[in-house]
Amino acid sequence: MKIKMVDLKSQYFKIKAEVDAGIQEVINNTQFIKGPQIKVFEENLAQYLNVKHVIACANGTDALQIAMMALDLKPGDEIILPVFTYVATAEVIALLGLTPVMIDVEPDTFCIDVNLIESKITSKTKAIVPVHLFGQCANMNEIMSIANKHHLFVIEDTAQALGASFELAQDDNSVKRKAGTIGTIGTTSFFPSKNLGCYGDGGALMTNDDELAKKIRMICNHGQSVQYVHDVIGVNSRLDSIQAAILNVKLPHLNSYETARNEAANWYDELLGNHPNIIIPKRNLQSTHVFHQYTITLRQAEGDRNWRDEIRKQLADRNIPSMIYYPIELHKQKAFEKFNTNNDHFPVSEMLCNTVLSLPIHTEMNREMVAYICNNLLEIINNTTN
Ligand SMILES: *Cc1c(COP(=O)(O)O)cnc(C)c1O
């Protein structure tokens, strides 16, 4: 059996006629930039997320940068983020001259440890950037209450969790809200392998704030209010019409994609959940999980990273790919060491970088594939465990 980390080709063949027609329509009317497909997509996604405004942009990294520009964050402002995340989250903070303040994560959900946030808040702190890592929401109840108490903005990095819902506490009740629509601004990515992926780069911002939405739209388009009138410093960050046409075809499938990913995750849980060396990903009861990644932790790898490499090599020999998301925490990356001024340690993230293993998960998986992966993984682990 040949297993892929993601299988975009099989997914495409199921929607080929609609996708091809959508792309052809853009080519026929040649409105490659700012075509009508973009407004349609923004409205469709806003309706799906139940949020007032969606503003499309060129990619998920730009979305984060534009969010911070729209909030008027200034050099020297401190921005709180998890130390265990994709580099994009931290990169834009540093790029804007802001100061990233890193926080360790929870060992079982991989998301920012909310109990560690308040001790890092200073008079310079302006925002928290929770990352809904691997497809499950960070603890937004705690994050929103800390943010409200200290008057901080919240930018939700929803690149991996588009479609996930969170039970947000409200008075004595709770309301279900989509990831990215709870904080001040949400950002997401349509990178091809993301849960809602286009066929190139793409991204978007979400907000319920009318003024912010206007400003974000301006920043995406060179700070322009009326053509050739520039009110603020902006960037050129737009979603191509062709990508919007593809996303318009794929968005109606997002819920069934999520179901397929959850099915695969449930099979993994069932087949791997009882092995003493494997910790399966924890489900946070307040959040649904959209399983952008299915990431286990291998206990034995904690003191022996080479053992994990050996497992991966033997998996690869049996045509089973795997990935390490992420092998190095931010504070140990050369580009970011200088921001760890206190020489802080992040024991949980350090442990995770040594022990995580992401297994193939995508919308086209069936039980036979998951069983093949699990049987081989268990056999390899048992053969290499002393
Ligand atoms: C993918 C990703 C981004 C960046 O998105 P791009 O579209 O690749 O720029 C940002 N944050 C996280 C957590 C991501 O996974």
Side-chain angles (χ1 to χ4, degrees):
M1 201 174 308
K2 178 93 183 100
I3 306 279
K4 296 185 186 134
M5 224 33 215
V6 288
D7 184 0
L8 296 175
K9 200 177 244 178
S10 306
Q11 190 193 58
Y12 163 65
F13 279 121
K14 293 182 179 163
I15 50 173
K16 183 178 186 308
E18 289 169 274
V19 169
D20 292 0
I23 294 172
Q24 192 59 53
E25 190 186 332
V26 178
I27 297 172
N28 289 349
N29 71 22
T30 66
Q31 224 180 321
F32 299 113
I33 303 288
K34 292 193 216 166
Q37 294 81 5
I38 291 152
K39 186 156 181 276
V40 170
F41 174 64
E42 288 177 341
E43 285 172 2
N44 287 345
L45 184 59
Q47 192 179 16
Y48 175 83
L49 295 172
N50 194 18
V51 68
K52 270 173 97 176
H53 306 279
V54 167
I55 302 101
C57 69
N59 58 69
T61 309
D62 275 7
L64 285 160
Q65 179 182 332
I66 292 160
M68 291 176 203
M69 291 170 76
L71 293 170
D72 276 328
L73 300 177
K74 295 274 166 14
D77 288 349
E78 293 177 1
I79 314 298
I80 286 175
L81 79 159
V83 71
F84 186 69
T85 180
Y86 182 55
V87 68
T89 323
E91 186 175 49
V92 297
I93 296 173
L95 198 64
L96 293 173
L98 313 170
T99 305
V101 175
M102 303 172 232
I103 308 272
D104 211 352
V105 297
E106 299 175 336
D108 48 8
T109 67
F110 313 111
C111 286
I112 192 165
D113 187 339
V114 292
N115 296 313
L116 303 177
I117 294 178
E118 277 198 291
S119 67
K120 293 284 188 166
I121 292 176
T122 72
S123 58
K124 291 183 182 163
T125 309
K126 291 290 157 57
I128 306 173
V129 185
V131 180
H132 304 315
L133 204 70
F134 302 153
Q136 184 168 246
C137 293
N139 185 344
M140 289 305 290
N141 282 322
E142 281 304 314
I143 290 166
M144 292 313 290
S145 97
I146 294 168
N148 289 335
K149 182 169 151 200
H150 297 274
H151 308 288
L152 306 176
F153 299 122
V154 174
I155 302 166
E156 294 175 72
D157 183 343
T158 315
Q160 300 189 4
L162 196 68
S165 310
F166 186 84
E167 284 285 340
L168 191 68
Q170 218 167 55
D171 305 320
D172 296 333
N173 244 315
S174 73
V175 285
K176 249 194 176 14
R177 296 271 288 273
K178 286 288 191 189
T181 70
I182 300 165
T184 325
I185 300 176
T187 66
T188 198
S189 163
F190 307 120
F191 185 83
S193 63
K194 296 281 156 82
N195 285 33
L196 180 63
C198 59
Y199 294 174
D201 274 310
L205 299 96
M206 296 77 92
T207 184
N208 282 307
D209 183 317
D210 298 343
E211 283 306 306
L212 265 179
K214 242 163 74 187
K215 198 154 169 210
I216 289 167
R217 214 171 266 293
M218 247 190 321
I219 293 170
C220 288
N221 191 27
H222 299 291
Q224 184 169 277
S225 54
V226 181
Q227 197 168 27
Y228 303 123
V229 178
H230 304 275
D231 293 0
V232 294
I233 302 287
V235 294
N236 173 10
S237 185
R238 294 180 290 234
L239 183 70
D240 290 346
S241 308
I242 284 181
Q243 302 305 340
I246 293 161
L247 289 166
N248 279 327
V249 174
K250 289 186 75 176
L251 180 60
H253 297 279
L254 186 56
N255 284 343
S256 63
Y257 291 164
E258 180 181 323
T259 305
R261 287 173 177 276
N262 268 278
E263 256 175 9
N266 290 338
W267 294 324
Y268 272 128
D269 280 0
E270 181 193 322
L271 296 171
L272 299 178
N274 293 320
H275 194 281
N277 216 329
I278 296 174
I279 305 171
I280 58 172
K282 185 187 166 184
R283 317 295 184 94
N284 169 358
L285 295 179
Q286 293 166 320
S287 176
T288 61
H289 203 318
V290 296
F291 284 101
H292 176 61
Q293 298 298 340
Y294 186 87
T295 302
I296 58 172
T297 39
L298 297 171
R299 289 182 205 267
Q300 186 171 325
E302 189 162 354
D304 187 1
R305 227 173 134 124
N306 295 336
W307 178 74
R308 183 180 59 181
D309 292 341
E310 178 59 27
I311 302 283
R312 290 191 66 207
K313 190 188 152 293
Q314 292 195 27
L315 281 171
D317 289 344
R318 301 179 189 200
N319 286 324
I320 300 170
S322 62
M323 294 292 284
I324 306 299
Y325 301 118
Y326 296 94
I328 307 171
E329 323 83 294
L330 285 175
H331 72 291
K332 288 193 190 152
Q333 301 280 3
K334 203 164 154 206
F336 292 95
E337 333 174 284
K338 63 177 178 228
F339 293 110
N340 187 16
T341 40
N342 299 327
N343 260 322
D344 281 342
H345 277 283
F346 303 92
V348 174
S349 296
E350 283 167 25
M351 180 271 288
L352 290 177
C353 287
N354 287 328
T355 58
V356 285
L357 183 70
S358 295
L359 299 172
I361 193 159
H362 54 74
T363 58
E364 311 305 309
M365 282 188 98
N366 57 39
R367 192 171 166 107
E368 288 65 45
M369 294 177 195
V370 176
Y372 177 77
I373 295 164
C374 293
N375 291 341
N376 280 287
L377 176 64
L378 293 173
E379 192 181 299
I380 292 167
I381 288 181
N382 290 338
N383 287 344
T384 49
T385 306
N386 34 40

